[in-house]
């Protein structure tokens, strides 16, 4: 069947392996469209998508916008800072207004975990979670999978280390769900303060040096400064000592291994400037820009499979 098993994409964990397979296999043709001179197909002509962003975003919002436009859908950007929410309107009333305009699909980002699930229950049209609080960011996890598939041609048995602020990261939660589902071995590298209370079931290390030589994919998380209701990890210097990817560590990584990050990168904290700007063979390890490119193809595939 050429359809997803659910109407909406709210979390990564509930995607069936067939859904994941379908999205990844469709992404290739959309990647090809994005590389053409004329990057547009009429597939979703006449469909209306609304980008509801209640939290700042550059890449995810733009990525959905470009994806919708390349498929000829009309996309409307709604940002909470310039909306009636500022005049005291509730989210549900805002939604009712939007639904009255016969929109076909809603993409939502919100700072509260669970908001997208609530909205999905409330509306009949498909909803795509573009990141909610500390909970989930399923399209990021899908584009991460696609990036890994492109680099390695397989998933089974690959060793992934997810490094940094696991506790506050929706990306980490969604990635973890999909990486394990596809048979990869996931290790979390984080100090205890960045781990959930009960991490006894997880494979945990506290120092990046313990995994650096052996890992296929080093997945570095952004420090979620806006989501930490406590003081920053003792200091940036401490962070640098145990967790930051610097040149020495990059050089220790095995041949063929890759570095990923969902962006935006806090240079000097998660990754040094030197590593961010490195060229040559070492530079080929850094897959951060690929993630962004593949993100558009993955979102085109998702919009197509839901609305096409
Ligand atoms: C992520 C997000 O906003 O959840 N960024 C993104 O969507 N590419 C990651 C982050 O902010 O840490």
């Amino acid at each position: 069947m050429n359809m997803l098993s659910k109407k909406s994409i709210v979390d990564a964990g509930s995607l069936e392996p067939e859904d994941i397979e379908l999205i990844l296999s469709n992404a290739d043709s959309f990647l090809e469209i994005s590389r053409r001179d004329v990057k547009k197909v009429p597939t979703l002509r006449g469909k209306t998508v609304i980008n509801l962003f209640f939290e700042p975003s550059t890449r995810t919002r733009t990525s959905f916008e470009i994806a919708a436009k390349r498929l000829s859908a009309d996309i409307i950007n709604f940002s909470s800072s310039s909306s009636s929410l500022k005049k005291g309107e509730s989210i549900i009333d805002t939604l009712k207004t939007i639904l009255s305009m016969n929109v076909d699909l809603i993409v939502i980002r919100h700072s509260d975990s669970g908001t997208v699930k609530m909205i999905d229950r409330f509306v009949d049209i498909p909803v795509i979670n573009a990141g909610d609080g500390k909970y989930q960011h399923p399209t990021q996890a899908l584009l991460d999978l696609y990036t890994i598939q492109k680099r390695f041609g397989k998933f089974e048995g690959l060793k992934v280390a997810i490094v940094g602020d696991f506790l506050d990261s929706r990306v980490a939660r969604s990635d973890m769900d999909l990486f394990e589902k596809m048979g990869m071995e996931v290790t979390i590298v984080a100090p205890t303060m960045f781990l959930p209370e009960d991490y006894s079931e997880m494979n945990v290390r506290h120092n990046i040096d313990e995994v650096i030589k052996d890992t296929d994919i080093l997945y570095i998380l952004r420090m979620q400064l806006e989501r930490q209701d406590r003081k920053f990890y003792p200091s940036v210097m401490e962070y640098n000592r145990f967790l930051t990817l610097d040149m020495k560590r990059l050089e220790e990584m095995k041949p063929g291994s890759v570095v990923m990050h969902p962006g935006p990168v806090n240079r000097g904290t998660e990754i040094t400037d030197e590593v961010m700007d490195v060229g040559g063979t070492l530079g080929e390890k850094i897959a951060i820009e690929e993630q962004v490119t593949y993100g558009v193809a993955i979102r085109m595939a998702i919009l197509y499979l839901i609305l096409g």
Side-chain angles (χ1 to χ4, degrees):
M1 245 198 356
N2 204 21
M3 262 179 73
L4 298 180
S5 65
K6 286 175 200 65
K7 103 171 152 81
S8 297
I9 300 185
V10 174
D11 58 76
S14 63
L15 287 167
E16 303 295 337
E18 303 77 61
D19 294 329
I20 299 171
E21 183 46 45
L22 197 58
I23 294 168
L24 297 185
S25 60
N26 271 277
D28 277 337
S29 57
F30 294 114
L31 187 62
E32 187 268 316
I33 292 168
S34 293
R35 285 178 173 152
R36 288 184 197 163
D37 211 18
V38 178
K39 305 170 184 55
K40 208 174 179 87
V41 287
T43 320
L44 296 185
R45 198 162 54 196
K47 300 284 183 189
T48 309
V49 175
I50 184 144
N51 246 347
L52 274 182
F53 276 64
F54 297 95
E55 201 189 78
S57 166
T58 317
R59 70 202 75 215
T60 306
R61 192 186 56 72
T62 317
S63 183
F64 272 108
E65 186 173 351
I66 290 179
K69 288 191 165 152
R70 290 194 179 154
L71 293 168
S72 302
D74 292 311
I75 181 151
I76 285 85
N77 282 306
F78 168 100
S79 102
S80 57
S81 55
S82 55
S83 76
S84 295
L85 288 164
K86 285 273 175 247
K87 302 181 190 162
E89 186 174 62
S90 77
I91 290 197
I92 294 296
D93 287 337
T94 303
L95 272 170
K96 280 186 184 159
T97 308
I98 288 166
L99 290 174
S100 311
M101 299 183 199
N102 299 94
V103 168
D104 297 295
L105 181 145
I106 308 180
V107 178
I108 310 175
R109 166 163 294 191
H110 199 282
S111 54
D112 293 336
S113 311
T115 306
V116 180
K117 203 175 230 166
M118 186 270 289
I119 289 175
D120 183 47
R121 287 209 194 98
F122 177 76
V123 304
D124 292 327
I125 58 172
V127 171
I128 300 177
N129 186 353
D132 64 331
K134 300 179 186 183
Y135 178 54
Q136 283 280 325
H137 194 352
T139 63
Q140 177 71 46
L142 285 162
L143 76 87
D144 289 338
L145 267 192
Y146 189 49
T147 307
I148 293 169
Q149 188 184 55
K150 286 286 195 196
R151 282 279 184 141
F152 294 89
K154 61 163 192 176
F155 298 116
E156 195 67 39
L158 290 176
K159 292 196 170 99
V160 191
I162 301 182
V163 184
D165 185 3
F166 186 86
L167 181 64
D168 297 294
S169 172
R170 55 193 174 208
V171 172
R173 245 169 288 280
S174 289
D175 273 349
M176 182 88 169
D177 287 344
L178 292 198
F179 292 175
E180 290 190 332
K181 210 179 273 241
M182 303 313 279
M184 299 191 250
E185 284 174 38
V186 183
T187 303
I188 311 295
V189 184
T192 330
M193 68 179 293
F194 290 147
L195 291 169
E197 247 165 69
D198 181 18
Y199 60 86
S200 55
E201 301 285 298
M202 292 160 52
N203 191 7
V204 170
R205 299 282 181 283
H206 301 301
N207 186 336
I208 194 173
D209 292 317
E210 292 180 65
V211 299
I212 199 81
K213 293 197 180 89
D214 198 34
T215 195
D216 295 299
I217 297 137
L218 193 67
Y219 197 98
I220 302 182
L221 300 170
R222 185 175 64 85
M223 275 302 267
Q224 308 277 305
L225 295 167
E226 78 283 17
R227 254 172 239 129
Q228 292 166 2
D229 30 25
R230 57 196 177 297
K231 201 176 146 299
F232 180 73
Y233 182 72
S235 67
V236 174
M237 230 161 75
E238 282 288 293
Y239 199 94
N240 290 163
R241 216 167 114 208
F242 296 110
L243 299 164
T244 304
L245 180 65
D246 56 18
M247 283 304 280
K248 181 177 155 290
R249 286 169 172 152
L250 182 69
E251 281 162 8
E252 281 174 3
M253 291 181 69
K254 67 179 186 191
S257 59
V258 300
V259 175
M260 295 170 66
H261 189 299
V265 175
N266 295 302
R267 282 174 176 243
T269 304
E270 300 113 33
I271 304 180
T272 62
D273 263 324
E274 235 185 329
V275 171
M276 285 298 286
D277 300 328
V278 72
T281 331
L282 279 177
E284 284 165 18
K285 288 195 175 307
I286 319 284
I288 302 174
E289 284 166 22
E290 271 159 66
Q291 287 173 274
V292 178
T293 305
Y294 295 153
V296 174
I298 282 290
R299 290 176 177 121
M300 286 173 82
I302 292 171
L303 292 175
Y304 163 72
L305 287 167
I306 296 181
L307 288 179

